[in-house]
Amino acid sequence: MSELAQAHKAVRLEATNHEGSLLGKNVSRRKFETGKEAGFAFADILFAIDLNNEIVLGDAFPDWRGNLYDIQMVPDLSTLVEWKPGLDSVIGDYWLNDGTPVPICPRNLVRKLVARLADMGYEAVAAVEIEATLFEESVQEARSRGYRDLTPLGGSTGATYHLARSSDWVAYMEAVVERLDQIGITWEAWTDEAAPGQTELNLAPTDPVRLCDGWARTRQVMREIAHELGHTVSFMAKPTAGFGQGAHINISLTSDGTNRFFAEDGLSELMRHAVGGLLATMPGATSVVMPQITSYRRLVDLTGPPTTVSWGVNNKTAAVRAITGHPKYSRLEYRLPGADVNPYFALAAVLAGILAGIERRIEPPAEVTDMAWCLPDGCGVPRIPDTMSKAAAALAADPLLREYLGDEFVDFWVASRRWEWMEFHTKGGDPFVELSAWESQRYFEFP
C-alpha cells in the first residue's frame, strides 16, 4: 500500500461493553498514530446504559457518578488487522485516568485471571462453539416485522450435520469463513445445528484473551456478511419460540507444553479440582453466562442445554463435560453459556471457577453417569437457577466469585441484572409466553 493510501486509511477502535456489544469509533490514521499510546477518550456512560440506551438508575459501578467523565480505551496493537480496504481495526482495554484498569472492563478482567493462573505456572487453552440463527430477510425487513415471523435461511427443516441446505445458506457460511481467514481468525469447523436456519461455527483453541477477541469479531463478521448478502443473523439465546442456542467453551490447562488435564487413568487431580470449582461457582456464574431474560428460556429438559449443576465424563447432558484419555485433547467443556453472552465475561467466569477449584482443592460432587436432565427433586443434583433474579441472588451471595471477579464487578453486574428484570416486568415483557415481543425488540440485534 502506498504511503498516501495508508495515510487515508481509517482505524476502527473496538471493545465490548458489559452487555457484550462491540462498541467503538472510527478515527483517522493520523489521529490513531498520535493517540495509540495514551489511548482514546470514551464516555464512561457506556457502562451505565442498557440495551435500549437508557441510563441504569442505581448502577453500582462506584466510579460512575453521572458526570460523563472520560475513560481511556488503550488499543492492544497486537490485535491490529486490516478489516477491509480502507479500514483497519484494533481491540483495546478500558483504563481509568489514574492509569489503573476499569474494574468492570471485560477484557481486563480476563487478563487479570490469566495472570493469576500464570502465577501458578499454568496457561489456559480455550476454544468456543458459536451458535447463531440465520434468516432470509434483510435486517431492515426484520426490523419492520419486529423481528418476528422471519424465514429461516437454508430451509425450514431443523437438522444436525445435514448437508441438504439450500445454496444461500452455504454461500453465507462460506463468505463468513473467507472473511475470518482474511483477518486472521482461525476457525475449525462449521455445520448446521438443530433449529431451522441455525449454524454452529467453531473457533480454534488459543489463549483466553485472543479467543475472546476472535469471538467478538466473529459475531461482527457474521453480522456484516448477513447485511452484505441481504440477510440477517441473531445471537439471541432463543430468537424464535423453537430451539435455543448456546456457546460451549472448551478449556484445558498446560505447562511446559504439556496438557495437565490429561491422565492415563481418566481425570487428573488438576482436572478434578477444576471440575469441583466450576460446579461450586455454577449457580452464581449462571448470572454472568446467561445474561438476558431470554437466556433462561433455553433451560428446558431434553432440548440440549444443561438444566442441572452436574458433570460427567463425555456426558453432553451435563453442564460440565469432561473429555479424558488423550494427551492432547483432554479438556473440560462448559456447556452453560447462551449465544448472547459477553465472550470476555464468559471466560472470566470459567477461569474464576477453575482457579477457585485448584487453589482450594475443591472436590466435585458425584459424577452423573446417566442423563442429567429430568432428575427428580431430592436426588442430590440441584437445578441451575432458572430465572434472572435467582441467578443474580446466587452471584451476589457467592464468596468465591466475589474474590476472583472482584466485589466491584459482582455488585455492578447484579445491579444491572436487577435493572434488566425490572425493565422486562414493567415495560411490556410477558413471562407467560415462549418468547415475548419485548425480548425480540431488545435482544435480536444485540449483542
Side-chain angles (χ1 to χ4, degrees):
M1 178 179 294
S2 69
E3 291 185 10
L4 181 61
Q6 181 70 13
H8 285 86
K9 178 178 271 193
V11 181
R12 186 171 67 195
L13 311 172
E14 301 172 344
T16 66
N17 66 353
H18 57 292
E19 298 286 5
S21 301
L22 191 63
L23 307 185
K25 61 173 73 172
N26 286 18
V27 299
S28 69
R29 190 74 195 197
R30 179 176 290 110
K31 175 69 173 178
F32 178 72
E33 292 298 331
T34 59
K36 65 184 181 183
E37 301 296 335
F40 300 86
F42 278 68
D44 71 335
I45 197 173
L46 66 90
F47 287 119
I49 54 176
D50 66 15
L51 287 171
N52 197 40
N53 280 333
E54 294 189 39
I55 294 178
V56 177
L57 302 177
D59 191 317
F61 178 36
D63 287 301
W64 190 80
R65 297 179 176 85
N67 57 357
L68 304 185
Y69 78 105
D70 285 335
I71 54 179
Q72 301 302 310
M73 195 280 254
V74 180
D76 180 344
L77 298 183
S78 71
T79 69
L80 185 66
V81 298
E82 182 180 51
W83 191 261
K84 63 181 181 180
L87 179 67
D88 288 346
S89 73
V90 66
I91 293 174
D93 309 290
Y94 297 113
W95 298 82
L96 298 173
N97 290 328
D98 64 3
T100 59
V102 173
I104 57 177
C105 167
R107 196 168 187 264
N108 268 325
L109 190 56
V110 177
R111 285 154 58 97
K112 180 182 77 170
L113 294 169
V114 167
R116 185 162 178 165
L117 201 59
D119 288 342
M120 301 174 64
Y122 298 113
E123 295 180 355
V125 179
V128 66
E129 306 163 24
I130 302 170
E131 294 180 356
T133 300
L134 317 172
F135 298 95
E136 287 186 9
E137 289 81 6
S138 68
V139 68
Q140 291 80 12
E141 177 65 16
R143 289 166 180 163
S144 71
R145 297 189 186 187
Y147 310 102
R148 316 277 283 188
D149 301 318
L150 302 179
T151 310
L153 187 68
S156 60
T157 301
T160 302
Y161 310 124
H162 210 297
L163 296 179
R165 292 296 187 195
S166 54
S167 60
D168 48 5
W169 191 91
V170 175
Y172 171 83
M173 290 306 301
E174 288 178 343
V176 166
V177 296
E178 180 180 0
R179 184 72 61 82
L180 296 182
D181 288 339
Q182 291 170 351
I183 61 176
I185 296 175
T186 306
W187 60 278
E188 289 194 323
W190 58 267
T191 182
D192 74 320
E193 257 294 339
Q198 196 173 69
T199 186
E200 178 182 294
L201 173 60
N202 301 339
L203 299 189
T206 186
D207 71 86
V209 175
R210 184 176 177 85
L211 177 72
C212 293
D213 293 344
W215 184 350
R217 279 177 161 168
T218 296
R219 294 201 298 205
Q220 182 66 18
V221 166
M222 294 180 75
R223 288 193 179 94
E224 291 184 9
I225 295 296
H227 297 165
E228 290 170 11
L229 298 179
H231 304 310
T232 191
V233 61
S234 181
F235 299 93
M236 277 184 73
K238 203 167 185 178
T240 71
F243 280 90
Q245 47 197 24
H248 302 163
I249 295 170
N250 291 268
I251 192 164
S252 61
L253 298 185
T254 68
S255 63
D256 301 321
T258 300
N259 185 343
R260 299 303 176 181
F261 277 178
F262 168 70
E264 293 284 354
D265 57 350
L267 272 70
S268 67
E269 181 181 62
L270 190 72
M271 179 187 269
R272 191 175 74 248
H273 290 150
V275 171
L278 288 173
L279 266 65
T281 57
M282 185 168 288
T286 299
S287 180
V288 179
V289 302
M290 297 178 58
Q292 310 301 354
I293 294 291
T294 315
S295 308
Y296 297 85
R297 297 192 188 273
R298 290 176 57 234
L299 297 181
V300 179
D301 286 318
L302 304 172
T303 64
T307 55
T308 55
V309 180
S310 56
W311 77 279
V313 175
N314 206 26
N315 187 345
K316 290 189 176 184
T317 69
V320 175
R321 172 189 175 215
I323 297 94
T324 63
H326 195 288
K328 182 177 180 182
Y329 299 118
S330 293
R331 65 190 187 276
L332 295 175
E333 181 185 12
Y334 194 78
R335 297 176 57 83
L336 185 58
D340 53 356
V341 72
N342 181 312
Y344 300 94
F345 286 166
L347 261 293
V350 170
L351 291 171
I354 289 174
L355 280 161
I358 294 171
E359 292 186 347
R360 287 167 171 73
R361 302 181 66 82
I362 298 174
E363 293 294 335
E367 174 190 356
V368 175
T369 56
D370 296 318
M371 187 172 68
W373 295 314
C374 303
L375 295 177
D377 294 338
C379 70
V381 182
R383 302 282 292 187
I384 290 167
D386 59 359
T387 69
M388 178 175 282
S389 54
K390 290 179 186 177
L395 175 59
D398 189 320
L400 295 176
L401 290 175
R402 281 192 174 275
E403 176 183 340
Y404 289 92
L405 299 178
D407 284 329
E408 288 179 304
F409 169 79
V410 170
D411 291 339
F412 163 80
W413 184 257
V414 169
S416 73
R417 294 314 92 189
R418 288 172 176 163
W419 171 269
E420 192 70 11
W421 183 93
M422 183 183 71
E423 290 290 285
F424 173 75
H425 284 280
T426 60
K427 294 187 177 178
D430 186 348
F432 301 109
V433 297
E434 286 190 273
L435 181 67
S436 68
W438 184 92
E439 294 164 84
S440 297
Q441 287 284 353
R442 193 171 185 90
Y443 302 136
F444 186 93
E445 289 193 51
F446 302 103

